[in-house]
Every structure is written in structure tokens, then in C-alpha cells.
Amino acid sequence: MKKQTDPGIDEVRAARMEISERYGHNVDRMLADHVKQQLHYADRLVTFGQARGHRKSSRRPTKRTPALPA
């Protein structure tokens, strides 16, 4: 059976390998650097709660059906 290749998957795998090589294939080093980057750019991060609170919707409110008595 011949293995099929997908150019998109190959590209993702190559990028993942490049990132892994940058940290010597050490997950702890990679995560430590990501935490450091988050702290450095903390003013640019948006939390889920902030994103929800400031989102404006162009959709009309939906009609809610009244709850049926139990």
C-alpha cells in the first residue's frame, strides 16, 4: 500500500519540526520560552472574558420560547 502525502500536512509537520529543533527537542525549554513571551507581551493578550464582553454582534436577538411548566 502506497502512503499518500498531503502538502498541507507536510508543511505543518516541517514547521513543527523546525520549532522543536529550535528548542533542542526539549518541551520544558519550549514551554518556558512561551511563558516568558506571554509575560513580555501581556499587554497584547486578550482573555476570553474580555473578548466576550467587548464583542458587538450584528445579529438580531433571537425570540425565546417561554419555559413550559413542570
Side-chain angles (χ1 to χ4, degrees):
M1 179 179 277
K2 185 177 180 182
K3 181 181 174 186
Q4 294 181 353
T5 60
D6 181 315
I9 291 176
D10 293 341
E11 184 178 344
V12 169
R13 287 178 176 158
R16 189 173 56 191
M17 183 59 72
E18 181 181 323
I19 292 168
S20 182
E21 288 171 351
R22 195 178 315 155
Y23 296 99
H25 305 288
N26 184 321
V27 175
D28 292 328
R29 282 181 55 203
M30 182 178 69
L31 292 176
D33 187 55
H34 282 63
V35 169
K36 180 181 171 185
Q37 294 296 320
Q38 283 184 341
L39 293 172
H40 185 265
Y41 295 106
D43 60 321
R44 299 182 189 185
L45 297 178
V46 177
T47 64
F48 180 72
Q50 290 172 329
R52 277 187 115 184
H54 295 290
R55 183 180 302 175
K56 293 184 180 180
S57 176
S58 61
R59 295 184 288 166
R60 294 181 184 175
T62 59
K63 291 183 182 179
R64 295 181 186 245
T65 55
L68 297 175

